[in-house]
Amino acid sequence: MSGDTYRVAGLILALIAAYFVIPDAFVMDLWIRIMLISVVVIGLNLLFGYTGQISLGHAGFIGIGSYGSAIMTAHLQIHPVLGLLAMAVATGFFAYLIARPILSLKGHHLAMATLGIGVIVTIVLNNETAWTGGSDGLVVEPLRLFGGPIYDGGQWYVIAAGMLVVVVWGALNLVRSPAGRALRAIHGSEIAAQVAGIDVSALKVRIFALSAILASVVGSLEAHYLGFISPGTAGFGRSILLMTMVVVGGMGSVFGSILGAAILLLLPQVLAAVSVWETAAFGIVLVATMIFMPRGLVPTIGSLVRRRAR
Amino acid sequence: MIALRTHGISKGFGGVLAVQNVTLNVQIGTVHSVIGPNGAGKTTLINLISGIYRPDAGRIELFGTDVTGHAPERLVGHGLSRTFQNIKIFNEMTVLENVLVGAHQRLNTSILAGMLNLPSIWKADKEVTEEAEALLETVGIADVRHADASQISYGHLKRLEIARALASHPKLLLLDEPAAGLNASETANIASVVKGLSENGLGILLVEHDMSLVMAISDRISVLDQGKTLMEGTPDEVRADPRVIKAYLGEPA
Amino acid sequence: MSAQFLQFLFAGLTVGAIYALAGLGYALVYSASGVINFAQGQFVMLGAMATVGLLGAGLPYFAAVPVAIIITIVVGMLAEKLAVRPAHGSSIVTLIVITLGVGELIKGSVQVVLDRSTHTLPSIGGGGTVDIAGAFISTQGLWVIGVTFLCVLLVGYFLNSTLTGKAMRAVSCNRLAAQLVGIKPDRMLLMSFAISAALGAIGGILITPISFISYDSGTMIGLKGFVAAALGGLGNAPGAIVGGLVLGLLESFTAGYISSAYKDAVAFILIILVFFVTPNGLFGAKSSERV
């Protein structure tokens, strides 16, 4: 128990310290976005890094959360928090429905099926312009908590950080628990897992739904935070970005997910002067990581450190 | 008490009948071996009994309950466990964790409970971990318990499979070629572990090619050839039977 | 048969031909190595954009086209050598991510070297339309179908009647056995990448006069090419061609008779359905796991 408690405590301290070191609103915005997307990446990592189920359409769930919340608050006058919860439930339900048939597929088939779902979501978002505004995008109301609207960066930082800490804690616990071991066993050998008594398809469906719900919640928050969303939020490009964050940061590593998110959101900032190189650099990062560090940064560094310690 | 009873089970794959009308019983506390030349259907038989394949015909009963067609994970609740001929270890986990997975159905496996780290989870984990370490002692690989499963030797892996299978507290254990690829002393070690388990009351169905192992520890032997049961009897009866000799060695020249 | 129906039919065959070429590329690479090359769509884009660039640099059309195809082939071979081969034996997921990365790299490089705008290419023979039974059919479309047909014949001849082609098929059937008779699988894989790059490039150059091209056109085409290959049964070359044509026709009729907004969704809905009805595609072989 102690190892993880220290890690979570360390994270909380780091987030508090970071808050006071942030120089301006621009950096604050960046960190908020990193923290929000980290939650999605952790969810995706649980599905992909731990359980080995590839999902190339995960941004679709972010889009569902974003647009669902935006439409509910704008057209249906529903309170943002209620909208967020409603979308979380709806996305979970949707994910649950499609998960069982889709997760019976493996490898390329699963990749394509999940990719297809993501693309179909994007196409719907682009075309149902009456509800979604199509490719012009949609303006979103701010989040409202305890009465007042939340505009202040500082308040959003607290919300995003709070969510991240809770999700990290939950994920670390899950990984060490019997359910977490079962997920990793599924990754190792589905047949051996079944023989050991694990209901493999049920567990795959549940972790898929969980990761979809996390993406939806972040989508809702993002929509209220950014104030404006467009169909690209659910697109294939974003799904690849999420996968890259998992892969670079570390498959099967909770803190690796945060690191991957940070690196890949900071990369465009670093390349700001030569922004036209962004896509190419991105491609190089993907290829190089998979060849030289296939397990991602955190596990690879972790192994190196452990080997030195011997 | 009869742990396992198969009644005339058959299984075909695209026109090839891998297993035809096989009937056998395994008593608890005994070792029942299944032998036969390659292609005789032994692995298919184990896959049928462990729920990986569904029989085309026939019935399978565990401790008197009809479990024909049940999925593998349901059979664990009836006391069944098995090992694999081509090792299926969970590579991203340590040796100890592999064994812990074997205890899956004895633990609280809900995702929500896991995320909240409920006391029921970590208390049970503590108990099961101690048990798992004892199991690793029994099969003799306790010294590598924190190693990555992908890093240990083949002989250790074979024994890890057995330890993992035992973690669910089975009453019937299916062993698919546990001595394949092992040298004489490793085989002798496996033999004594398996014999010890049956003496403790476990029913064991053993598929093996190593005749010395089979003859040494079996109480009964079924001989399969081309999917059919050729004969069943004690080791002495099997050894002397001319049909068995013919199936393995062919007609004299 | 109404003129409108003929129009949609023809449009479907035209775009279907491009999907067929891309699908054939996927099938060749997959059968030689088990790798799904998610960068295939970028080969299509690269062939077209390279031609655009070379024309812009002053080369005449009949020179720009072969040079562009060669550039694409070289890029394809580099991708195999530098990105795919080092990862040989890695998990499916690793390979998927690597080829995605290669695709992004190609896309990003075109963005840097050329630009992000939409471009077109001259139609072969000057363009124009032909009236067939009341439907107006573009001559470029006829060229697309004709050249694709020729490519398919050539590839078929290569695979069935030349020694190298048969060697490629041997590797896809049984890599080890092929090695034992002296065939170098790595060389065959390199060749499969080269051929699929060429096919993609030709497809891109053919379709651009009709549907234009930009640095990010490759993704959708690639995905649809994959759908074509999967429809036909991954690794099944004739299946991929049929798959491409079927997809093109379904898209065209959907756009014509149902809704043009959702025509892109056809490919993905189709593939999801196919996965559940016939997981190995319409013509694919059954596969099973060894227990």
Side-chain angles (χ1 to χ4, degrees):
Chain A
M1 173 135 152
S2 44
D4 285 343
T5 319
Y6 287 132
R7 288 195 192 105
V8 175
L11 177 66
I12 296 177
L13 287 173
L15 290 174
I16 295 177
Y19 180 81
F20 292 107
V21 184
I22 289 177
D24 57 37
F26 178 75
V27 174
M28 175 78 84
D29 168 69
L30 203 53
W31 282 115
I32 292 171
R33 286 192 291 125
I34 289 176
M35 289 192 286
L36 286 176
I37 209 73
S38 294
V39 169
V40 182
V41 179
I42 290 175
L44 184 56
N45 210 337
L46 285 173
L47 177 66
F48 173 46
Y50 285 101
T51 320
Q53 307 299 303
I54 191 167
S55 171
L56 289 182
H58 231 66
F61 296 120
I62 301 181
I64 293 177
S66 287
Y67 273 85
S69 270
I71 292 172
M72 281 183 143
T73 50
H75 291 227
L76 302 174
Q77 313 303 326
I78 293 181
H79 189 284
V81 172
L82 279 174
L84 183 152
L85 291 171
M87 283 321 295
V89 169
T91 307
F93 189 64
F94 173 60
Y96 193 81
L97 272 181
I98 63 174
R100 200 168 269 268
I102 285 196
L103 292 172
S104 62
L105 302 170
K106 302 205 181 20
H108 303 125
H109 294 130
L110 179 60
M112 271 312 283
T114 51
L115 194 157
I117 305 271
V119 169
I120 291 173
V121 169
T122 317
I123 292 176
V124 170
L125 291 177
N126 262 311
N127 286 312
E128 295 302 317
T129 48
W131 287 99
T132 67
S135 55
D136 287 336
L138 199 56
V139 170
V140 189
E141 288 177 19
L143 185 65
R144 279 202 312 281
L145 273 183
F146 312 122
I150 310 237
Y151 290 112
D152 176 43
Q155 289 176 310
W156 269 108
Y157 186 96
V158 170
I159 294 173
M163 175 158 206
L164 181 60
V165 166
V166 167
V167 170
V168 165
W169 178 76
L172 288 174
N173 286 338
L174 177 60
V175 166
R176 257 175 335 103
S177 71
R181 287 195 294 266
L183 292 176
R184 286 148 69 205
I186 292 175
H187 194 180
S189 162
E190 283 193 28
I191 290 191
Q194 274 185 295
V195 154
I198 298 172
D199 188 343
V200 168
S201 45
L203 204 49
K204 284 202 278 190
V205 166
R206 283 190 211 131
I207 200 68
F208 184 80
L210 176 64
S211 65
I213 291 174
L214 285 172
S216 168
V217 169
V218 169
S220 300
L221 287 174
E222 232 185 30
H224 291 301
Y225 173 64
L226 296 171
F228 178 80
I229 51 177
S230 63
T233 191
F236 181 55
R238 201 162 194 217
S239 289
I240 301 195
L241 179 64
L242 291 171
M243 283 300 275
T244 314
M245 291 172 173
V246 171
V247 156
V248 167
M251 297 218 266
S253 163
V254 173
F255 285 98
S257 308
I258 303 177
L259 185 62
I263 291 178
L264 284 153
L265 278 186
L266 290 172
L267 191 65
Q269 306 305 321
V270 165
L271 293 174
V274 282
S275 68
V276 75
W277 282 99
E278 215 180 289
T279 313
F282 189 64
I284 295 179
V285 166
L286 263 178
V287 176
T289 310
M290 290 318 271
I291 294 181
F292 299 114
M293 275 194 312
R295 292 164 58 212
L297 272 171
V298 170
T300 310
I301 295 179
S303 301
L304 282 173
V305 165
R306 255 177 284 147
R307 239 184 286 152
R308 287 282 167 81
R310 286 215 196 102
Chain B
M1 187 196 329
I2 297 188
L4 167 71
R5 201 199 284 268
T6 75
H7 290 276
I9 53 177
S10 299
K11 181 72 184 171
F13 296 103
V16 174
L17 272 173
V19 166
Q20 284 182 57
N21 201 17
V22 169
T23 295
L24 56 80
N25 300 333
V26 178
Q27 301 268 4
I28 58 167
T30 67
V31 177
H32 189 123
S33 293
V34 175
I35 64 174
N38 274 323
K42 309 188 294 296
T43 294
T44 306
L45 180 62
I46 286 213
N47 287 340
L48 282 167
I49 298 172
S50 56
I52 292 174
Y53 298 148
R54 202 198 170 87
D56 295 331
R59 251 177 28 248
I60 301 173
E61 280 172 24
L62 279 176
F63 298 97
T65 313
D66 189 334
V67 294
T68 317
H70 281 13
E73 58 267 19
R74 282 179 69 186
L75 296 174
V76 175
H78 291 278
L80 182 76
S81 199
R82 71 164 284 183
T83 65
F84 290 91
Q85 174 190 4
N86 41 358
I87 303 206
K88 292 188 190 293
I89 287 293
F90 307 126
N91 278 318
E92 305 277 321
M93 300 165 81
T94 64
V95 166
L96 183 60
E97 286 171 328
N98 265 268
V99 179
L100 289 175
V101 174
H104 183 86
Q105 290 204 350
R106 296 166 46 216
L107 297 167
N108 182 341
T109 56
S110 119
I111 288 184
L112 192 56
M115 289 199 294
L116 297 173
N117 199 20
L118 298 178
S120 62
I121 293 221
W122 46 267
K123 283 192 187 134
D125 255 20
K126 216 164 152 302
E127 260 179 59
V128 170
T129 303
E130 281 167 15
E131 260 189 48
E133 293 187 334
L135 280 174
L136 289 173
E137 285 280 356
T138 312
V139 298
I141 57 173
D143 51 338
V144 292
R145 65 183 176 283
H146 292 304
D148 274 341
S150 54
Q151 305 292 329
I152 61 177
S153 73
Y154 182 78
H156 283 160
L157 285 173
K158 288 300 246 189
R159 290 191 261 173
L160 175 54
E161 282 248 346
I162 297 179
R164 180 177 68 187
L166 291 173
S168 63
H169 290 179
K171 293 177 285 192
L172 172 68
L173 184 59
L174 309 176
L175 296 171
D176 193 355
E177 301 200 28
L182 298 183
N183 65 31
S185 78
E186 289 168 327
T187 303
N189 176 278
I190 295 268
S192 75
V193 168
V194 174
K195 195 68 187 169
L197 290 170
S198 85
E199 276 159 10
N200 274 330
L202 219 54
I204 306 226
L205 182 71
L206 172 70
V207 165
E208 231 336 307
H209 272 300
D210 186 324
M211 280 308 133
S212 58
L213 172 61
V214 169
M215 292 298 164
I217 66 173
S218 306
D219 297 300
R220 289 195 75 74
I221 302 178
S222 290
V223 184
L224 291 189
D225 184 31
Q226 299 195 26
K228 292 196 272 246
T229 313
L230 200 53
M231 73 156 291
E232 184 192 311
T234 65
D236 287 331
E237 286 165 3
V238 167
R239 219 193 313 248
D241 191 302
R243 293 171 292 173
V244 176
I245 298 170
K246 177 174 156 207
Y248 268 101
L249 301 174
E251 292 281 19
Chain C
M1 220 186 255
S2 75
Q4 197 186 42
F5 180 84
L6 269 180
Q7 201 95 42
F8 294 146
L9 181 75
F10 189 75
L13 285 176
T14 307
V15 73
I18 308 303
Y19 296 154
L21 285 175
L24 188 53
Y26 278 105
L28 287 173
V29 169
Y30 183 81
S31 63
S33 66
V35 175
I36 304 261
N37 177 18
F38 272 96
Q40 179 68 37
Q42 308 306 338
F43 293 152
V44 176
M45 181 274 297
L46 183 59
M49 287 298 277
T51 312
V52 166
L54 290 167
L55 285 178
L59 247 65
Y61 187 83
F62 63 81
V65 166
V67 172
I69 295 177
I70 291 174
I71 291 177
T72 311
I73 293 178
V74 168
V75 167
M77 287 169 63
L78 280 174
E80 191 276 329
K81 248 198 130 100
L82 298 177
V84 176
R85 201 182 301 185
H88 175 64
S90 302
S91 68
I92 289 182
V93 161
T94 305
L95 289 164
I96 290 177
V97 175
I98 287 188
T99 55
L100 279 173
V102 167
E104 292 296 295
L105 182 53
I106 295 175
K107 192 167 105 172
S109 306
V110 167
Q111 190 188 347
V112 169
V113 172
L114 292 170
D115 59 36
R116 303 171 67 134
S117 326
T118 308
H119 295 274
T120 188
L121 286 172
S123 298
I124 301 177
T129 56
V130 167
D131 187 333
I132 299 182
F136 285 99
I137 313 255
S138 67
T139 55
Q140 181 68 17
L142 289 170
W143 276 103
V144 169
I145 295 176
V147 173
T148 301
F149 186 63
L150 188 62
C151 286
V152 166
L153 282 180
L154 283 173
V155 170
Y157 175 77
F158 169 72
L159 288 177
N160 290 316
S161 311
T162 66
L163 203 54
T164 323
K166 291 190 200 185
M168 259 180 77
R169 284 166 60 210
V171 167
S172 71
C173 285
N174 189 326
R175 191 187 169 96
L176 182 59
Q179 273 180 300
L180 289 172
V181 297
I183 298 173
K184 294 195 177 61
D186 281 342
R187 193 82 76 68
M188 293 300 116
L189 183 56
L190 192 63
M191 185 162 298
S192 70
F193 262 80
I195 297 177
S196 54
L199 289 172
I202 292 172
I205 296 171
L206 284 172
I207 200 68
T208 299
I210 298 177
S211 61
F212 304 177
I213 199 87
S214 75
Y215 83 110
D216 63 1
S217 309
T219 311
M220 255 316 183
I221 298 179
L223 295 179
K224 292 178 185 178
F226 176 86
V227 170
L231 270 179
L234 277 175
N236 183 326
I241 294 163
V242 172
L245 293 173
V246 166
L247 177 60
L249 287 170
L250 278 171
E251 264 191 15
S252 182
F253 287 125
T254 303
Y257 293 121
I258 305 177
S259 145
S260 70
Y262 281 98
K263 81 166 163 64
D264 280 342
V266 169
F268 301 102
I269 296 177
L270 192 60
I271 200 60
I272 292 175
L273 286 175
V274 166
F275 281 154
F276 295 118
V277 174
T278 49
N280 291 300
L282 298 169
F283 310 107
K286 289 214 174 301
S287 58
S288 50
E289 183 190 341
R290 214 158 220 290
V291 181

